[in-house]
Amino acid sequence: MTGQTPALRLEGIVKTFPGVRALDGVSFSVMPGEVHALMGENGAGKSTLMKVLGGIYQPDAGQILIEEAPTVMASPLEAKAKGVVFIHQELSLADELSVAENVYLGELPRKSFGRVDWDRLYADTERILDRLKVGFTPQTLVGDLSIANKQMVEIARALTVDAKAVIFDEPTASLTDAEKDVLFEVIADLKARNVGIIYISHRMEEIFRITDRVSVLRDGQHTGTAITADTNEEAVTQMMIGRKLDLSRNVAHHELGDVALEVRNLSCGHLYKDVSFKIRRGEVVGFYGLVGAGRTEIAETLFGLRDPSAGQILLDGQALRITSPTDAIERGISLVPEDRKGQGLVLGMNCRDNMTLPQVDDLKAGPFVAEGAEVAIFDQYRDRLDIRTPGWKQLVGNLSGGNQQKIVIGKWLSMHPNVLIVDEPTRGIDVGSKSEIHNLIRDLAAQGYAVIVISSEMPEVLHVADRIYALFQGRITREFTSEDVTEDSLVRAISGLADNGGAQVA
Amino acid sequence: MAQLTKSDIGGFLARQGILVAFAVFIIGFTLANPRFLDPDNIMGVIRSSAILGVMALGVTFVVISGNLDLSVGSMMSFSTIVVLDLHDKLGPTLAIPAMFAMTLCLGALIGFLVGYLKLNSLIVTLGMLSAIHGLTLTYSGGKNMDIADKEGTWFSVFGQGDALGIPVPILLFVLLAAFLGIVLAKTPFGRKVYAVGGNGVAATFSGIRRARVVFTCYLASAFCVATAGLLQASRSMGSQNTVGQGLELEVLAAVILGGASLLGGSGTIFKTVIGVLMLGFIQNGLLLVGLQFYVQYVVTWVIIILAVWLDIAAKRGTLWSPIA
Ligand SMILES: Nc1ncnc2c1ncn2[C@@H]1O[C@H](COP(=O)(O)OP(=O)(O)OP(=O)(O)O)[C@@H](O)[C@H]1O
Ligand SMILES: [Mg+2]
């Protein structure tokens, strides 16, 4: 690739926020037709660097060069006009508008008198959606889509212009394997058209599958760039966190206690049917299945957010109805929800207040909130989860995506629940913290908590769960123990295919 | 970048716009009429802002929880008329609690509709504005209400009395502001109000009973309205049944001017008090420079627009943005 002009080059970029030096003289380049991975721990500065490139932030120092010509990106629209397209980590779609309107937001095709050319809009969008092989139409309301499908809309946006460079900021965080494959085809296609691609992800297997070079950021500094083919996971991790990572599975076996939670023949309309399972104290149970298999809906029922249409929930052997989240929390059930921005956090509130929100009634000194106790809880979980923030007063909305997720996890861990349900707990979390969170989940189990881990990442369920329930189209198709599970049989179980190993659940 | 550019100035204006605008007003008024900064005048402004201020305290809770309350003006007329009427029928000792109970019932109705039935607060309270007006007219038979024996009652103490050398309306405003300020900033309930307004879904997922919080905010608003009605009735000892008309917008202007966002989740009682005083001084200044009082209606609207614009500009960091 030497001798070519880079599609895009950044020179000595500096960006500071009050109390944080997010970027400290970062230089970086992408060649046309190259897929360049950008890695780093949560809060290392990846998203900030890309926002500078995309015209969302102005750098304090340094410059941006497109095909070696210095440029100023005054706004996202300008960046787009100059051929730099940005697919955000945090979804930025208008829920009340249709897919087509979102895809062409700000640039709707016009007829005379400024009227929107709906036919063309729908036709153009249709063409892009075909490329992405999605199952919804241009007319669908974005608010009705799952998170994964919203992500696909965000990607569709990038395909509307003739881009010189496309930035993907953790695009696969909420995609299924099949959707991921489609995305990688799209990336290959862009690459063949000589577009430079910047790809941010915490998932090593993706980095090694699709990228040509890897650059690593650490604490706002560029620590190195390597040709992907010449390096390995260990070396990249070392560059990222400055130490080696112990990925051995933590199977310190302990005695299991009584059944903490049992569900009998639970159904909820067409969302899931006839689901039965139990979980004992000290046990980690994985719920593995594709997005839409009903996993989240089961969790929401246990947390009092949905009324089951049939079946029974037994907590410590007692049949009961859980009527609201308040009710669930009082009975010691906690849920780390899948959508951190929509369901997990109040973005305009500070870190401490977010973390203690569910227990604010219990943390009292007289009639007042005991702020000292709150700070103590925050400090404890900041250290335990390695949350990067200048202090508890920082608004959660200003944290990096992964650090926001850690606040949500800390919020529910600090409740010391009897039954902890975590829905995609490590979405957007870096490798180091991920294993930290997995260890924490194992620790909790060892202390006698019952934990349900919902995940679409197979390595994750294989790593943390003692038992795995495979779900397919709203039903539990198979149950595996950590001894008898194989990747192949797990894949078959969540695709509704028969298999002849493992215990069949009626 | 030692040199000040146009965009630096724009950025500063955007961030500190309301204070800058207020300073410009004060300087302008003082130049036009030096009496503006006279201690008597200042005291007078604070005193006449007290009724509006008391109402704004309650509306602050509603706005932070992410809702609106446009019914406070006509609800205040209702409280005033009811307490004046009951004063002569039951005597002041019974009339006051009875009026508070009736006003709180209205607040509970709104709280039920917005909180538990999840109806849009703009529609509900706009409707209530009209409905309560009708209720007041029905109650009073369309007539003005007067206390018959103005000398033989202690009722006037709330609106006209002094305690510790301070006019009672100011004292009540300050005490209520201090109390509600502490509730909002320091108690679990206050925290929940911010959470519900900031992200209602996340609040629900945190086990907060959203409906109950919204309901309580409307009760707080009704309580403040009842207090304002008491002050109004006691000050004038007689009243038209439209006395609170139009106050809902002034209250809203004060709350927004103080910096609460209409989207919910932000604002404080202290900021609202500042907003109330700013509004009071601006209106007073307009009178002192010789403008008719009805100019105020236009000015209130201009202030709302300005405050909302500057609020958005402060978030964006620029006064004007080409992006929609
Ligand atoms: N608007 C902001 N105000 C204050 N601090 C900010 C703001 N945006 C980012 N930061 C801080 O800058 C640092 C870098 O954040 P950034 O979002 O770039 O991290 P990241 O590498 O993308 O992390 P992640 O993997 O978690 O997404 C963090 O410490 C973050 O808290
Ligand atoms: Mg990021």
Side-chain angles (χ1 to χ4, degrees):
Chain A
M1 271 180 283
T2 43
Q4 245 181 319
T5 21
L8 198 71
R9 199 154 70 81
L10 295 163
E11 262 299 321
I13 302 287
V14 175
K15 177 77 197 172
T16 51
F17 297 106
V20 195
R21 199 170 178 84
L23 295 174
D24 195 2
V26 177
S27 302
F28 174 80
S29 68
V30 204
M31 296 293 169
E34 176 194 30
V35 182
H36 196 140
L38 189 57
M39 300 199 70
E41 291 177 280
N42 296 130
K46 304 177 298 291
S47 296
T48 307
L49 187 65
M50 294 306 109
K51 284 180 186 165
V52 166
L53 193 51
I56 297 166
Y57 293 148
Q58 296 307 310
D60 301 341
Q63 62 174 343
I64 303 169
L65 302 100
I66 297 185
E67 290 168 346
E68 293 298 291
T71 357
V72 173
M73 302 287 197
S75 70
L77 275 186
E78 194 176 324
K80 204 169 177 183
K82 287 177 177 163
V84 177
V85 183
F86 191 173
I87 294 152
H88 289 270
Q89 174 176 17
E90 308 295 341
L91 298 168
S92 54
L93 301 171
D95 277 349
E96 316 77 45
L97 298 182
S98 69
V99 167
E101 286 166 289
N102 268 288
V103 169
Y104 282 95
L105 200 67
E107 323 163 286
L108 297 177
R110 302 286 177 169
K111 295 194 286 195
S112 53
F113 303 112
R115 288 171 303 147
V116 173
D117 189 346
W118 293 104
D119 294 340
R120 216 182 101 204
L121 175 66
Y122 290 140
D124 287 354
T125 310
E126 187 84 64
R127 210 165 315 123
I128 294 173
L129 295 185
D130 280 348
R131 250 171 96 185
L132 292 174
K133 305 194 178 89
V134 293
F136 52 86
T137 65
Q139 288 86 351
T140 315
L141 213 58
V142 164
D144 294 340
L145 297 177
S146 66
I147 304 193
N149 280 332
K150 285 184 184 173
Q151 189 72 54
M152 295 310 265
V153 175
E154 193 91 42
I155 291 165
R157 265 183 182 177
L159 303 179
T160 60
V161 290
D162 245 343
K164 288 201 177 65
V166 180
I167 303 162
F168 291 90
D169 195 350
E170 297 192 35
T172 54
S174 48
L175 297 190
T176 63
D177 286 337
E179 288 164 326
K180 236 181 268 179
D181 290 340
V182 174
L183 173 70
F184 292 163
E185 275 172 38
V186 171
I187 290 178
D189 179 44
L190 288 170
K191 187 176 154 131
R193 298 181 195 202
N194 247 0
V195 176
I197 290 148
I198 302 175
Y199 189 84
I200 301 178
S201 174
H202 291 294
R203 297 191 176 154
M204 290 288 182
E205 74 278 6
E206 295 172 3
I207 303 297
F208 286 92
R209 181 163 156 198
I210 65 162
T211 71
D212 301 308
R213 286 197 292 168
V214 196
S215 287
V216 174
L217 289 185
R218 190 157 123 214
D219 293 334
Q221 286 177 339
H222 185 190
T223 52
T225 299
I227 310 263
T228 313
D230 298 347
T231 186
N232 57 35
E233 280 193 26
E234 215 171 316
V236 174
T237 310
Q238 179 108 32
M239 267 204 282
M240 277 172 60
I241 63 178
R243 63 184 153 89
K244 283 200 176 149
L245 198 65
D246 179 17
L247 279 175
S248 60
R249 196 194 143 163
N250 197 346
V251 267
H253 266 298
H254 47 265
E255 288 296 300
L256 296 185
D258 300 335
V259 173
L261 177 76
E262 182 175 355
V263 162
R264 287 189 194 148
N265 308 101
L266 202 66
S267 299
C268 181
H270 61 282
L271 295 170
Y272 58 87
K273 280 189 201 74
D274 209 13
V275 167
S276 301
F277 60 90
K278 48 177 101 161
I279 167 164
R280 307 163 73 118
R281 291 189 189 287
E283 195 178 29
V284 180
V285 167
F287 274 44
Y288 183 64
L290 300 173
V291 172
R295 308 165 308 168
T296 296
E297 288 74 13
I298 295 172
E300 286 176 351
T301 309
L302 295 177
F303 197 57
L305 287 156
R306 285 177 195 277
D307 253 341
S309 49
Q312 261 189 327
I313 299 171
L314 292 89
L315 206 60
D316 294 322
Q318 294 234 303
L320 49 87
R321 277 191 65 216
I322 301 166
T323 53
S324 69
T326 323
D327 196 19
I329 290 168
E330 269 164 21
R331 297 176 190 278
I333 301 176
S334 282
L335 170 68
V336 174
E338 70 174 332
D339 175 6
R340 61 169 165 260
K341 250 176 111 184
Q343 304 166 334
L345 297 166
V346 184
L347 292 178
M349 228 180 203
N350 67 41
C351 294
R352 181 199 71 183
D353 294 2
N354 263 290
M355 200 180 269
T356 56
L357 197 55
Q359 47 184 322
V360 71
D361 273 325
D362 303 324
L363 291 172
K364 279 199 293 196
F368 304 123
V369 183
E371 298 194 25
E374 287 188 291
V375 173
I377 290 177
F378 173 77
D379 284 344
Q380 185 190 343
Y381 285 89
R382 183 192 53 200
D383 296 346
R384 208 160 159 193
L385 300 171
D386 188 23
I387 300 172
R388 306 282 168 90
T389 163
W392 63 260
K393 291 187 178 137
Q394 181 71 282
L395 298 185
V396 159
N398 288 340
L399 295 193
S400 79
N403 284 303
Q404 291 182 356
Q405 180 70 18
K406 291 180 188 178
I407 297 270
V408 185
I409 293 183
K411 163 170 160 179
W412 290 110
L413 283 188
S414 64
M415 295 293 292
H416 304 295
N418 294 324
V419 178
L420 175 67
I421 310 168
V422 290
D423 197 350
E424 305 285 1
T426 58
R427 171 178 295 164
I429 282 192
D430 67 52
V431 279
S433 309
K434 198 170 198 164
S435 69
E436 189 54 41
I437 286 172
H438 289 162
N439 290 341
L440 243 149
I441 289 175
R442 295 297 322 172
D443 278 356
L444 287 174
Q447 289 166 35
Y449 297 117
V451 187
I452 299 178
V453 177
I454 300 175
S455 179
S456 13
E457 275 188 68
M458 191 182 307
E460 180 158 273
V461 280
L462 290 177
H463 190 71
V464 297
D466 296 310
R467 267 186 314 128
I468 300 170
Y469 288 102
L471 280 94
F472 173 66
Q473 293 187 346
R475 286 172 191 278
I476 292 183
T477 51
R478 289 278 302 274
E479 179 188 340
F480 300 91
T481 65
S482 57
E483 284 82 36
D484 66 21
V485 63
T486 63
E487 293 196 12
D488 180 60
S489 53
L490 203 48
V491 168
R492 295 178 71 86
I494 63 158
S495 329
L497 300 172
D499 191 305
N500 29 18
Q504 199 80 30
V505 174
Chain B
M1 276 218 252
Q3 202 186 353
L4 262 188
T5 64
K6 228 169 97 185
S7 79
D8 286 339
I9 298 172
F12 176 76
L13 273 182
R15 281 189 301 277
Q16 306 296 339
I18 293 194
L19 284 180
V20 172
F22 187 57
V24 170
F25 268 116
I26 297 283
I27 295 168
F29 289 146
T30 313
L31 291 179
N33 187 342
R35 212 160 62 78
F36 183 64
L37 285 184
D38 197 283
D40 281 346
N41 187 53
I42 291 178
M43 209 54 192
V45 170
I46 298 176
R47 190 191 176 111
S48 61
S49 298
I51 290 180
L52 181 88
V54 166
M55 290 162 75
L57 298 177
V59 172
T60 303
F61 276 76
V62 173
V63 168
I64 294 176
S65 79
N67 294 301
L68 285 174
D69 193 347
L70 293 177
S71 70
V72 290
S74 75
M75 201 189 283
M76 193 271 243
S77 307
F78 173 81
S79 309
T80 309
I81 294 299
V82 167
V83 79
L84 287 171
D85 175 60
L86 294 183
H87 178 276
D88 286 3
K89 292 183 180 147
L90 308 173
T93 334
L94 281 178
I96 296 171
M99 175 276 275
F100 268 79
M102 290 165 79
T103 312
L104 285 174
C105 283
L106 293 176
L109 175 60
I110 300 176
F112 174 75
L113 295 174
V114 178
Y116 289 93
L117 295 191
K118 305 203 166 33
L119 306 183
N120 180 294
S121 68
L122 177 78
I123 305 297
V124 168
T125 59
L126 203 57
M128 283 302 271
L129 184 160
S130 161
I132 297 175
H133 183 55
L135 187 65
T136 311
L137 289 177
T138 314
Y139 184 94
S140 66
K143 295 192 300 282
N144 295 340
M145 218 45 99
D146 263 307
I147 288 178
D149 178 10
K150 293 196 172 58
E151 304 304 319
T153 170
W154 51 268
F155 186 70
S156 64
V157 64
F158 299 105
Q160 303 170 27
D162 277 310
L164 315 164
I166 306 170
V168 173
I170 297 184
L171 199 67
L172 275 178
F173 176 40
V174 170
L175 288 178
L176 200 57
F179 174 70
L180 292 178
I182 290 172
V183 168
L184 194 54
K186 298 286 175 200
T187 66
F189 173 72
R191 190 68 65 72
K192 292 181 199 170
V193 175
Y194 284 103
V196 166
N199 183 350
V201 175
T204 305
F205 271 77
S206 301
I208 292 173
R209 296 183 198 275
R210 212 159 133 190
R212 190 182 287 182
V213 172
V214 170
F215 180 83
T216 313
C217 285
Y218 278 105
L219 274 191
S221 181
F223 179 84
C224 290
V225 167
T227 309
L230 174 63
L231 291 177
Q232 176 65 39
S234 156
R235 182 166 87 177
S236 51
M237 302 299 276
S239 175
Q240 298 180 328
N241 40 40
T242 54
V243 53
Q245 203 170 48
L247 278 186
E248 56 282 333
L249 275 192
E250 285 191 46
V251 165
L252 201 60
V255 172
I256 303 173
L257 201 54
S261 162
L262 283 186
L263 297 176
S266 76
T268 65
I269 288 291
F270 180 72
K271 286 179 175 176
T272 291
V273 171
I274 300 289
V276 167
L277 294 179
M278 282 201 220
L279 190 69
F281 279 108
I282 291 168
Q283 293 182 342
N284 171 257
L286 292 172
L287 286 179
L288 286 187
V289 299
L291 291 171
Q292 297 291 345
F293 81 91
Y294 35 75
V295 174
Q296 285 179 13
Y297 295 125
V298 181
V299 172
T300 306
W301 177 80
V302 172
I303 288 173
I304 292 183
I305 298 296
L306 207 64
V308 172
W309 178 31
L310 291 174
D311 178 45
I312 291 179
K315 290 202 183 94
R316 230 176 11 215
T318 60
L319 287 175
W320 165 254
S321 155
I323 312 160

